[in-house]
Amino acid sequence: MFDNVTIVGVGLISGSLALALKEKGLAKNIIGVSRTKESTDKALKLGIIDEALSLEEAVKKSDFIYVAIPVDVTVAVALQIMDLITPQQIVADAGSTKYVLCQALANHPLRKRFVATHPMWGTEYSGPESAVRGAFSGRSCVICEKDKTDKEVAEKIESLYKTLGMNIVYMEAENHDIHAAYVSHISHITSFALANTVLEKEKEEDAIFELAGGGFESTVRLAKSNPSMWAPIFMQNRENVLDVLNEHISQLRKFKSCLEKENYEYLKELMQNANKISRIIK
């Protein structure tokens, strides 16, 4: 599909994509770009990338440039890349927020060579060593503002994701950010807050280690996520995150009130209502 692919950022998402492109025979050569030599050295050692170049050198050599870096620096880097490409190259991003980026690129002369994507997969780990084989199979990938991208460009990136086993979902950038706040961003805030709660109230680390069961581990797992990645996401999607966070606080208050007032029936009703999620998530 591509001779030379550049991944900007050599971490979890881009590293997993690079492994998948190689495994599926979709790219002959993977170029890595990172702010730190340590990251590209690791990626080279792990076989994720074939060479490491500067951004300018990598873009000049590539058919396809994939940007997977924290969202607070994505806009500036994406604009820099768009100013470097020719009308034959393709650029896509993997960011968890889409509206700010799409607005920033809206009037760029080569906007039609850009595809705004968000593969809905991730773990709490970061860095080249976190890359996973087969990561995207069975997952969804959101493509935003498809109508603003050249038809053949959009189809090529759709084909790439489908070959990796992904289901394509189309959304406008603003709607994407609203729904991402509901199903992804609030989960991370809740996990961070729960971890802080336990660390504050349970001073005995041995007790946490010995007594924490599967339920606690799965709920607090996301609290191990990289703050340098997630703080910018929360800030860039601030209004939507605040909206869902206020609703979450309201729901917590209902549980608190039930316990304070010893209202067993309403407590049970709240949990029964929550059980409805099983119709959507098995």
Side-chain angles (χ1 to χ4, degrees):
M1 185 176 283
F2 298 105
D3 288 329
N4 292 289
V5 173
T6 285
I7 55 171
V8 182
V10 286
L12 172 67
I13 299 298
S14 54
S16 298
L17 180 85
L19 291 174
L21 292 178
K22 287 187 173 187
E23 187 177 281
K24 300 288 186 179
L26 300 177
K28 294 178 182 177
N29 185 56
I30 306 287
I31 306 165
V33 175
S34 177
R35 287 180 295 180
T36 66
K37 187 175 183 298
E38 180 185 5
S39 291
T40 50
D41 284 348
K42 281 184 183 177
L44 284 165
K45 185 176 181 181
L46 292 167
I48 295 170
I49 60 175
D50 300 302
E51 59 180 320
L53 296 173
S54 69
L55 182 65
E56 293 80 4
E57 291 173 318
V59 170
K60 186 176 181 180
K61 188 175 179 178
S62 297
D63 310 298
F64 173 42
I65 301 98
Y66 193 75
V67 184
I69 53 179
V71 297
D72 57 332
V73 292
T74 295
V75 171
V77 172
L79 283 168
Q80 186 180 355
I81 292 168
M82 296 300 290
D83 287 341
L84 291 168
I85 66 168
T86 68
Q88 284 70 50
Q89 293 170 288
I90 297 174
V91 181
D93 85 300
S96 294
T97 55
K98 296 266 81 84
Y99 182 72
V100 171
L101 177 61
C102 287
Q103 286 291 102
L105 297 181
N107 297 316
H108 195 280
L110 291 178
R111 168 63 183 84
K112 287 186 174 294
R113 306 302 297 181
F114 171 75
V115 191
T117 81
H118 181 197
M120 300 296 293
W121 171 81
T123 73
E124 64 272 31
Y125 303 109
S126 59
E129 62 275 19
S130 66
V132 177
R133 295 183 185 278
F136 303 108
S137 181
R139 306 289 181 170
S140 293
C141 180
V142 182
I143 293 182
C144 294
E145 298 189 348
K146 180 183 176 181
D147 59 313
K148 294 182 172 63
T149 301
D150 277 336
K151 183 181 178 182
E152 68 272 16
V153 171
E155 287 176 350
K156 193 160 190 174
I157 299 306
E158 288 168 2
S159 176
L160 184 156
Y161 279 124
K162 286 177 181 178
T163 302
L164 302 188
M166 301 199 85
N167 173 50
I168 307 297
V169 179
Y170 303 99
M171 288 185 183
E172 289 304 309
E174 190 170 8
N175 286 337
H176 165 275
D177 287 5
I178 291 170
H179 294 302
Y182 296 161
V183 300
S184 173
H185 304 170
I186 189 61
S187 302
H188 283 79
I189 285 185
T190 301
S191 190
F192 284 123
L194 177 59
N196 282 338
T197 299
V198 173
L199 291 170
E200 180 65 28
K201 299 300 288 185
E202 177 57 86
K203 301 300 183 182
E204 295 184 26
E205 292 187 11
D206 287 346
I208 297 175
F209 178 77
E210 291 169 0
L211 300 180
F216 178 78
E217 288 182 7
S218 62
T219 305
V220 83
R221 173 182 63 84
L222 296 177
K224 295 183 283 184
S225 299
N226 188 349
S228 296
M229 183 180 81
W230 279 98
I233 291 171
F234 298 151
M235 293 305 296
Q236 199 167 99
N237 203 22
R238 176 176 172 271
E239 294 302 322
N240 293 320
V241 171
L242 281 172
D243 177 57
V244 68
L245 186 57
N246 283 330
E247 177 59 33
H248 185 52
I249 291 169
S250 173
Q251 294 295 329
L252 288 173
R253 284 183 177 138
K254 290 179 183 179
F255 279 91
K256 181 172 180 283
S257 177
C258 286
L259 293 171
E260 288 173 339
K261 297 176 182 178
E262 299 183 8
N263 189 340
Y264 172 80
E265 290 304 319
Y266 188 40
L267 178 64
K268 189 176 177 181
E269 184 181 322
L270 288 172
M271 291 186 285
Q272 287 172 336
N273 187 66
N275 286 163
K276 293 175 184 177
I277 200 72
S278 64
R279 297 200 306 259
I280 305 165
I281 300 174
K282 303 300 181 184

